[in-house]
Amino acid sequence: MPFSDRKHRRSQRAAPLIPKDHGGGEFDGASFSGAVFNLSTTIVGAGIMALPATFKELGAIPGVIIIVLAGILTEKSIEMILRFSRATKTSSYSGLAGDAFSGAGRNILQLCIVINNVGMLVVYMIIIGDVLSETWSQGVHHTGVVEEWFGLHWWTTRSSILILTTIFVFGPLISFKRVDSLRYTSALSVGLAIVFVVIIAGVAIAKMINGSIAMPQLLPNLVDQASFWKLFTTVPILVTAYICHHNIHPIENELEDPSKMKSIVRTSITLCTSVYVATSFFGFLLFGNQTMDDILANFDGDLGIPLSSLLNDIVRVSYALHLMLVFPIVFYSLRLNIDGLLFPHAIPLGYDDRRFFTVTAALMGFIFLGANFVPSIWDAFQFTGATATVAVGFIFPAAIALRDTRGVATKHDRSVSWIMLLLAVSSSTVAICSDIYGIVNGSETAEA
């Protein structure tokens, strides 16, 4: 048994969060389709709304190419994780990091996953509150869908909607001990993402037929040095669009046939790439240079077609529901890794109901407070996302392959690893510099 699994918390070679034979009956293993939906839901979170804006900088043709290349690179990084995990006989991503870099490496990876997932879940709750209730931007009040429909009541306020969502949606879904139990909600989540694609494509095609939209910009418009450097601000969005590495092992551990995991990854990434390309292309085709950094903001006005208001509401509500269903799948790996950090020598979490529900309640409470009472949370998570996210998705897979403690890395693995490290470092640097510039510039503007 490798060092990391021998030293830390039970034998993870066979025991993920909850063994197959534990619980209210025999569990024969997760299906191929269920695993595809769970992995696809992990990938397609809030990032889908930021992708169309990258086409405004890159142009349609380079944008499509880079989205596809990012998907291919992500598939390769996951393939390396799975192959190295089998060589080390470990059943967790953190266990693999521990085998390569001892206990310190394991803990650093778990901390990165915790930071990444907490940030994502807080942002999801903020977006849900913005879409359904209200938001304030530069002193302007923007009403949410529920407030528009029913008016201002105690139960349409932001805090009330988030409390009700936490109790009646998040609470039941995060109480499942197996990730496979979320396969139906994950399928619905993927379905809602496809609904968004169908609506945005339908509106774009309808307006193209009646001649009310122009040909999209196919290549980047480089007019000066500043416009050239602005191209690199799209790198962090594209690099992190497919991050799902933290859920690879939990999904694989529950499979009826673990040998199918490689096909599951390929199917999920192909599905998500199709959704990303369609959303980005048709979103940019529809709104052109008016495409906002978050394309959801473009669905706050007249689309120039019949039933525009209804379509806007459908898009916003379906997106909020989509995020509600993404929430538990991201929460699953968050709980697993925070438990590994806090209780490294304990029995499997699935066997200890008190610890399971204590960790679950504490995490949910922390996320709820972050989404409601920390107004500057966005600035903090812009920095952590730029570092923790790329560490989980690219830095650790590349470092593990280059370390190669089991002698299984190929020359191709090493070449791809150096590319991943270059992308990770460059995207983090660009994102952090951009965030610092935005904060400083915003402060100067406010003082002026």
Side-chain angles (χ1 to χ4, degrees):
M1 185 180 295
F3 163 80
S4 53
D5 282 349
R6 183 174 63 248
K7 183 177 179 181
H8 293 270
R9 63 180 299 168
R10 67 264 178 187
S11 172
Q12 293 195 21
R13 195 186 297 185
L17 174 63
I18 179 169
K20 291 183 179 180
D21 60 350
H22 179 71
E26 186 73 19
F27 176 56
D28 295 326
S31 65
F32 183 95
S33 60
V36 167
F37 286 130
N38 280 332
L39 188 58
S40 299
T41 298
T42 305
I43 297 172
V44 183
I48 186 175
M49 293 297 175
L51 287 173
T54 63
F55 278 37
K56 186 169 63 173
E57 305 299 335
L58 296 172
I61 294 175
V64 169
I65 292 172
I66 293 177
I67 287 176
V68 173
L69 290 177
I72 293 172
L73 193 62
T74 301
E75 182 184 343
K76 177 60 180 177
S77 69
I78 295 173
E79 187 272 332
M80 288 195 301
I81 289 174
L82 292 173
R83 181 154 43 85
F84 279 72
S85 295
R86 293 189 184 101
T88 58
K89 295 182 173 61
T90 184
S91 63
S92 68
Y93 190 8
S94 57
L96 180 61
D99 182 80
F101 302 105
S102 74
R106 179 192 186 103
N107 291 336
I108 292 172
L109 175 61
Q110 288 179 321
L111 183 61
C112 287
I113 292 173
V114 168
I115 292 172
N116 174 69
N117 289 22
V118 167
M120 289 171 63
L121 295 178
V122 169
V123 169
Y124 288 176
M125 287 197 76
I126 291 173
I127 294 173
I128 291 168
D130 290 348
V131 171
L132 296 183
S133 179
E134 61 178 355
T135 184
W136 289 84
S137 178
Q138 298 179 341
V140 179
H141 178 253
H142 299 275
T143 58
V145 176
V146 176
E147 189 175 319
E148 286 179 5
W149 289 352
F150 302 104
L152 185 60
H153 302 280
W154 70 266
W155 49 272
T156 64
T157 62
R158 182 189 187 88
S159 57
S160 296
I161 284 179
L162 291 181
I163 288 172
L164 293 172
T165 301
T166 299
I167 294 172
F168 296 108
V169 180
F170 296 151
L173 293 178
I174 63 177
S175 297
F176 289 120
K177 293 185 177 181
R178 293 194 181 98
V179 69
D180 184 62
S181 301
L182 298 169
R183 62 190 181 279
Y184 297 118
T185 55
S186 292
L188 180 57
S189 175
V190 173
L192 289 170
I194 293 174
V195 166
F196 174 71
V197 173
V198 169
I199 290 176
I200 199 171
V203 174
I205 292 171
K207 295 191 71 173
M208 188 166 55
I209 291 174
N210 64 30
S212 57
I213 55 176
M215 173 68 77
Q217 174 187 322
L218 299 180
L219 297 171
N221 184 23
L222 301 177
V223 295
D224 53 25
Q225 188 176 8
S227 62
F228 172 76
W229 288 110
K230 199 171 182 181
L231 294 178
F232 292 92
T233 61
T234 64
V235 174
I237 298 171
L238 294 165
V239 166
T240 59
Y242 292 90
I243 297 298
C244 60
H245 304 63
H246 48 86
N247 261 342
I248 293 297
H249 288 89
I251 291 172
E252 183 191 32
N253 290 335
E254 293 185 8
L255 280 176
E256 183 179 9
D257 182 4
S259 65
K260 293 182 179 179
M261 191 62 198
K262 186 175 180 180
S263 298
I264 288 168
V265 171
R266 183 166 297 164
T267 302
S268 296
I269 289 181
T270 300
L271 172 62
C272 294
T273 300
S274 302
V275 170
Y276 282 168
V277 169
T279 301
S280 302
F281 177 78
F282 287 112
F284 181 56
L285 177 65
L286 179 58
F287 298 112
N289 289 330
Q290 302 303 314
T291 304
M292 306 289 284
D293 290 339
D294 180 352
I295 197 174
L296 193 68
N298 288 105
F299 288 91
D300 199 21
D302 186 10
L303 296 176
I305 61 171
L307 303 176
S308 175
S309 178
L310 175 62
L311 289 174
N312 282 337
D313 286 349
I314 291 174
V315 165
R316 290 192 288 170
V317 171
S318 64
Y319 182 54
L321 292 174
H322 164 72
L323 290 183
M324 290 181 190
L325 300 177
V326 173
F327 191 98
I329 199 77
V330 176
F331 188 93
Y332 186 94
S333 58
L334 167 63
R335 177 173 51 206
L336 192 60
N337 282 277
I338 196 70
D339 180 70
L341 276 173
L342 298 178
F343 308 103
H345 305 290
I347 63 173
L349 189 58
Y351 284 116
D352 190 335
D353 289 342
R354 170 183 276 182
R355 195 170 93 246
F356 178 87
F357 288 108
T358 299
V359 172
T360 299
L363 283 173
M364 192 65 245
F366 180 81
I367 293 165
F368 181 84
L369 291 175
N372 280 277
F373 302 111
V374 186
S376 61
I377 199 87
W378 284 99
D379 293 336
F381 285 129
Q382 282 174 337
F383 287 104
T384 56
T387 52
T389 304
V390 295
V392 173
F394 291 99
I395 292 177
F396 267 98
I400 288 168
L402 293 173
R403 177 80 168 172
D404 192 22
T405 57
R406 305 291 166 163
V408 296
T410 64
K411 185 177 180 180
H412 180 65
D413 290 337
R414 295 188 182 91
S415 299
V416 172
S417 296
W418 283 114
I419 293 173
M420 288 194 292
L421 284 176
L422 176 63
L423 276 175
V425 172
S426 61
S427 65
S428 292
T429 303
V430 168
I432 290 172
C433 292
S434 177
D435 292 339
I436 293 173
Y437 175 80
I439 292 170
V440 172
N441 191 49
S443 301
E444 292 176 352
T445 302
E447 290 175 1

